[in-house]
Amino acid sequence: MPTETRAGLVDSFGRRHNNLRVSVTDRCNLRCVYCMPENVAFLPRAEVLTFEEIERVVRVATTLGIDKVRLTGGEPLLRRDLPRLVELLAVVPGLSDIGLTTNGILLAREARRLRDAGLARINISLDTMDRGKFQQITRRDDFDRVIEGILAAKEAGFHPIKINAVAIRGFTEDDVVLLARFALEHGLEMRFIEYMPLDAGRLWEREKVLFAAEMIELLETGIAPLKPTADQDPRAPALDYEYTDGSGRVGFIASVSRPFCMSCNRIRITAEGKLRNCLFSLEETDLRALLRTGGSDDQIAQAVRDSVAAKWEGHEINTARFIQPERMMHSIGG
Ligand code: SF4
């Protein structure tokens, strides 16, 4: 296997890719309205990559310059024995960071084991501080278990813990300040996410997007003035701010109003082994076929390079050309 220079995975726009998001399952124990319908057919177990197959793809990807992995779903904690995968990945040479995005429902049970296995960072999804609204959004009554999960993650020593909240106009405006207060109270970091057109029902409308600028205004009125942080990572999706009173930080993922595609460093692999070079990709590369038909590490590496080389400039949400991918958010992994 030829050794790649660390700058290896560079696309035609000069963007270097070092971040791989791995969906370990398309299953979820919630049914968020902006993600999937109530009734959904999940992948048969045999079609989902094994931990060993994921480890192999990650190991090959690190030789190309990937050094960060984020485990996602569906809900990744529904994958039995996920800490074992973390252990497998924690010893992959060249991998400096393993993160997880979870809805928190099973976290009270798993937080300690994940931490001990080598998980470094955790993002927990919570869009509201209101139980009834939580049920409206997720179609499940698990608000308390998410809060328990957040506190268990704190107890297990994760820091900083980021809370991902999708903000929808006319629905969760009031939660922006309430969530931010909860986060400040518990030493957590909010990540407010602009609503994106990846929902199953194709209900997304621009009018429903609560823009980052508006959320900043709500927080400055409701909590304290904000200023951009000095340590903004130019390739991270979030715009980082801090309260001028020193009480904490908050980030905004402004995919619609302030797209960050020109600094994108992320590629994704779905639970059944399809490589996506963009969240909104309309095309995919089948790595599972290579994995299960005797493909070599070189062939897998070449498939990854080819996918990155073919990556477009970015999503076209703000243009008339925009085409929503067939795939729903739960089977991409965000
Ligand atoms: S939309 Fe695609 S190109 Fe843009 S930041 Fe997201 S993954 Fe990257």
Side-chain angles (χ1 to χ4, degrees):
M1 162 84 96
T3 54
E4 283 288 339
T5 62
R6 302 292 306 160
L9 270 180
V10 178
D11 67 20
S12 63
F13 299 93
R15 297 171 292 193
R16 189 165 73 79
H17 293 70
N18 68 321
N19 196 322
L20 175 64
R21 298 173 74 98
V22 178
S23 169
V24 298
T25 180
D26 64 337
R27 292 170 187 270
C28 192
N29 42 9
L30 291 180
R31 295 288 182 278
C32 299
V33 290
Y34 53 74
C35 177
M36 68 158 99
E38 173 64 51
N39 302 312
V40 59
F42 293 124
L43 289 166
R45 187 144 187 68
E47 293 189 18
V48 174
L49 294 189
T50 65
F51 286 172
E52 288 68 25
E53 287 171 330
I54 293 172
E55 188 268 349
R56 184 175 171 208
V57 170
V58 170
R59 191 161 34 76
V60 171
T62 56
T63 68
L64 302 173
I66 294 288
D67 57 18
K68 288 175 186 279
V69 160
R70 175 164 290 275
L71 303 177
T72 66
E75 169 46 42
L77 296 183
L78 281 175
R79 189 77 193 254
R80 199 173 309 134
D81 206 13
L82 192 72
R84 189 171 73 80
L85 175 61
V86 175
E87 276 164 9
L88 281 175
L89 297 180
V91 293
V92 171
L95 201 55
S96 61
D97 186 81
I98 305 171
L100 174 84
T101 300
T102 169
N103 64 25
I105 291 174
L106 300 174
L107 199 47
R109 189 187 74 195
E110 298 286 351
R112 171 65 56 194
R113 280 186 66 212
L114 289 164
R115 185 81 180 140
D116 295 345
L119 189 70
R121 292 181 299 121
I122 203 160
N123 287 45
I124 304 162
S125 306
L126 181 65
D127 303 326
T128 177
M129 290 307 293
D130 177 281
R131 174 198 304 282
K133 212 185 280 181
F134 181 95
Q135 206 161 349
Q136 270 182 281
I137 295 170
T138 67
R139 300 183 184 112
R140 298 291 183 274
D141 187 15
D142 288 308
F143 178 78
D144 291 346
R145 294 175 73 189
V146 175
I147 301 297
E148 274 169 38
I150 292 171
L151 300 178
K154 259 184 86 176
E155 184 71 27
F158 286 102
H159 184 78
I161 295 170
K162 295 179 178 163
I163 306 297
N164 288 358
V166 175
I168 301 177
R169 185 190 303 283
F171 197 27
T172 61
E173 272 103 326
D174 304 343
D175 290 286
V176 172
V177 170
L178 296 174
L179 283 162
R181 285 206 184 112
F182 171 75
L184 289 174
E185 203 184 304
H186 292 276
L188 312 166
E189 224 175 279
M190 284 309 303
R191 278 276 175 286
F192 290 106
I193 303 171
E194 289 183 348
Y195 176 31
M196 288 183 280
L198 278 168
D199 58 316
R202 301 190 174 235
L203 304 171
W204 183 87
E205 294 165 65
R206 180 174 296 283
E207 292 67 35
K208 291 183 183 159
V209 179
L210 191 60
F211 295 121
E214 295 168 292
M215 292 189 261
I216 290 169
E217 228 176 276
L218 287 170
L219 293 174
E220 294 201 310
T221 311
I223 297 184
L226 285 164
K227 64 177 179 178
T229 60
D231 60 356
Q232 176 72 49
D233 175 353
R235 296 193 304 161
L239 301 162
D240 286 325
Y241 284 74
E242 58 192 341
Y243 297 101
T244 54
D245 64 2
S247 58
R249 296 165 65 109
V250 54
F252 303 90
I253 298 182
S255 315
V256 180
S257 65
R258 288 150 77 169
F260 36 83
C261 299
M262 281 328 290
S263 59
C264 183
N265 63 344
R266 293 167 298 285
I267 53 176
R268 293 165 170 84
I269 184 166
T270 67
E272 75 271 39
K274 297 283 175 66
L275 184 65
R276 298 174 60 81
N277 58 24
C278 168
L279 178 59
F280 291 92
S281 290
L282 302 174
E283 282 150 18
E284 301 177 333
T285 302
D286 187 351
L287 295 184
R288 188 186 65 196
L290 280 172
L291 289 163
R292 295 188 178 176
T293 59
S296 67
D297 287 359
D298 278 357
Q299 286 172 305
I300 294 168
Q302 193 55 49
V304 176
R305 281 194 217 95
D306 294 347
S307 172
V308 170
K311 183 167 179 168
W312 59 12
E313 193 168 0
H315 70 62
E316 298 186 315
I317 296 171
N318 299 315
T319 76
R321 295 185 302 278
F322 178 67
I323 301 171
Q324 181 169 341
E326 283 303 312
R327 223 178 244 281
M328 296 179 262
M329 181 64 110
H330 78 95
S331 74
I332 300 174

